[in-house]
Amino acid sequence: MRNFRTFQLAKEFYQECKKLPLTGNVRDQLLRASLSICLNLAEGSGKQTDKERRRFYYIALGSQREVHCLLELENIEKLIVQSDRLGGCLYKLIHSICA
């Protein structure tokens, strides 16, 4: 996993999300969704077929979009930029498998 660049970005993103001074349901949902990105990348990377890998990577992309929406609602610009970068990497990862 150390050489898996997108996973490393997702892990760093999760760590940044943990530092946010949010409370309640927004914090819980943000942490669950950002953790889901990491977990789906990890699980997908262990799958045998491209179809299986792509499925988990798409789930990770969906979680990234959920996190992005929460960051937009809370107006957390620093992490919005980081989320965009991670989303781009996920998109490229998915489409590199399709090729």
Side-chain angles (χ1 to χ4, degrees):
M1 297 299 291
R2 288 193 172 139
N3 293 329
F4 189 2
R5 187 176 131 230
T6 305
F7 175 78
Q8 292 302 321
L9 287 172
K11 190 171 82 168
E12 291 169 19
F13 184 69
Y14 172 70
Q15 294 300 326
E16 291 298 317
C17 287
K18 283 176 36 176
K19 295 176 187 175
L20 292 174
L22 301 172
T23 59
N25 293 335
V26 172
R27 178 179 175 74
D28 293 342
Q29 190 62 32
L30 182 72
L31 293 180
R32 279 195 306 272
S34 60
L35 179 60
S36 175
I37 299 167
C38 295
L39 296 177
N40 280 291
L41 285 169
E43 188 168 356
S45 71
K47 296 300 179 182
Q48 295 299 311
T49 67
D50 287 347
K51 183 178 178 182
E52 288 179 302
R53 267 191 300 282
R54 204 170 35 248
R55 179 175 167 263
F56 282 92
Y57 296 164
Y58 268 119
I59 294 168
L61 181 60
S63 293
Q64 179 272 331
R65 289 181 175 163
E66 181 179 350
V67 169
H68 191 86
C69 178
L70 288 165
L71 294 171
E72 289 275 349
L73 290 171
E74 295 296 319
N75 200 30
I76 303 170
E77 192 62 37
K78 176 188 172 196
L79 286 185
I80 290 171
V81 171
Q82 196 172 351
S83 174
D84 283 337
R85 194 170 107 220
L86 178 57
C89 289
L90 288 165
Y91 182 85
K92 287 178 187 174
L93 179 64
I94 290 165
H95 289 281
S96 73
I97 293 172
C98 294

